[in-house]
Amino acid sequence: MQTTINRIIPQKGSAKTIIQRLRAYIDPVDDTWSTKIRPANEMQIEELRQQLNLVERGLELPEAYVEFLHHAGECAGGLFSTFCAEMSISSLISDNEGICINNADDTKPYCFTFLKDYLGICYTMNLDNQNQKIFMEEDYAVSENFENLVFQSAITQYEKKYYPFYVYFSSSIHGLNTSEIGIKEIDLFDYADQIVKKYCLNKLWFSDSYCFFACSNEMSLMLNRSGGGVYGAICFNEKEMQREMEKVLLSKINTKIRKNYCS
């Protein structure tokens, strides 16, 4: 069984510190991540701006995205492996069609593809200052903005390393609607807020409409409802907490246990 590691909470800060804050969270459980990332250069970032015609459109790349490119634009060190994708600005630049801002959809007119998975599924970023959501295939919103997405990806991968026990679970929309408490997908996070209060968890700043994350030194709870249904993970220090969470959450929303681990 792994030794419990002192809990590091991902901190909120300026866009300029995004990599430092990521490292503060990741390094205690994976000190190799920072050695695997590779930066994009300023010439590549400027070429991306030009291909997107940002000046003519009165748009700009989000500051957090630009800062991330400066450190990990050519390789994010597997940070986006949850999406089966890797960052590569040079690949984006060479794929003119892939980085054109979407002009066909009036509801998302400023979206451009910034990430593709290994099967060619696109993840798009909205450059509208009032709406910088991240979409999968321009259909399903997965995060409120790029910075949230980065930290949500980090906790999905690394949170389990902070605790000796963890369980992955999922539930379909039908499962939620026919569950013991008859919860609807959109109401799930409201129910999770009650658990946060009951167990004195700290709901973190990158929780949004699509990903919910709260933690303490004893346990953490992650829920994701992007793309329909819900999946998530609970990490904990004491095995008894799993039985407690099965009683107050998992059994009530018809979840299926995907993986159950003792690290």
Side-chain angles (χ1 to χ4, degrees):
M1 181 184 300
Q2 93 174 15
T3 303
T4 302
I5 301 172
N6 289 337
R7 189 74 181 81
I8 302 296
I9 296 178
Q11 297 297 310
K12 187 175 184 179
S14 70
K16 290 292 184 183
T17 64
I18 187 170
I19 296 298
Q20 293 95 311
R21 290 182 286 126
L22 273 173
R23 286 197 59 181
Y25 171 68
I26 296 173
D27 281 359
V29 293
D30 180 7
D31 59 7
T32 69
W33 176 75
S34 62
T35 68
K36 293 182 287 189
I37 59 176
R38 298 201 312 272
N41 59 52
E42 192 58 50
M43 186 179 299
Q44 290 173 312
I45 298 172
E46 183 56 34
E47 186 173 353
L48 177 64
R49 289 190 179 101
Q50 291 177 10
Q51 289 201 19
L52 292 172
N53 294 316
L54 295 185
V55 174
E56 294 85 342
R57 296 172 183 271
L59 299 172
E60 183 51 277
L61 298 171
E63 188 178 0
Y65 177 59
V66 174
E67 186 65 23
F68 191 85
L69 292 180
H70 282 144
H71 295 270
E74 266 308 297
C75 178
L79 188 65
F80 298 111
S81 61
T82 302
F83 302 107
C84 299
E86 183 54 87
M87 183 73 73
S88 174
I89 192 172
S90 59
S91 295
L92 287 180
I93 291 170
S94 65
D95 183 0
N96 290 320
E97 182 180 358
I99 65 168
C100 288
I101 288 181
N102 174 25
N103 290 309
D105 187 346
D106 290 338
T107 64
K108 297 185 281 288
Y110 306 122
C111 279
F112 85 100
T113 296
F114 72 98
L115 195 65
K116 283 187 178 180
D117 75 7
Y118 303 130
L119 297 176
I121 294 175
C122 297
Y123 291 87
T124 61
M125 181 187 307
N126 197 335
L127 298 181
D128 186 343
N129 287 330
Q130 304 304 313
N131 175 9
Q132 295 186 343
K133 287 184 179 180
I134 307 297
F135 296 89
M136 180 178 70
E137 289 287 275
E138 298 182 0
D139 293 322
Y140 298 106
V142 299
S143 189
E144 293 286 356
N145 56 60
F146 180 76
E147 185 173 7
N148 281 12
L149 181 76
V150 165
F151 280 90
Q152 290 161 2
S153 298
I155 63 108
T156 299
Q157 287 195 67
Y158 290 108
E159 186 62 16
K160 63 182 180 288
K161 294 182 180 294
Y162 276 102
Y163 300 87
F165 305 103
Y166 58 99
V167 59
Y168 290 161
F169 58 89
S170 64
S171 182
S172 65
I173 294 176
H174 176 73
L176 291 172
N177 291 339
T178 58
S179 66
E180 178 182 334
I181 57 178
I183 200 166
K184 296 183 183 299
E185 181 189 6
I186 199 167
D187 299 326
L188 178 61
F189 289 4
D190 292 336
Y191 184 72
D193 278 330
Q194 299 175 33
I195 294 176
V196 166
K197 292 179 181 178
K198 181 175 181 179
Y199 295 95
C200 300
L201 303 181
N202 180 22
K203 185 177 176 181
L204 294 198
W205 57 273
F206 51 85
S207 295
D208 57 26
S209 301
Y210 310 99
C211 182
F212 181 104
F213 181 72
C215 67
S216 70
N217 286 332
E218 287 70 39
M219 66 170 287
S220 70
L221 169 63
M222 187 273 287
L223 297 168
N224 191 303
R225 64 178 190 87
S226 59
V230 63
Y231 66 89
I234 302 173
C235 306
F236 36 90
N237 282 333
E238 302 295 335
K239 190 67 174 176
E240 291 73 18
M241 185 56 70
Q242 178 178 341
R243 289 190 283 272
E244 179 73 9
M245 287 297 106
E246 287 176 350
K247 181 175 66 175
V248 302
L249 176 64
L250 303 185
S251 65
K252 292 183 178 295
I253 60 174
N254 285 340
T255 57
K256 295 181 179 179
I257 303 298
R258 293 163 56 194
K259 292 181 180 179
N260 191 349
Y261 287 108
C262 171
S263 299

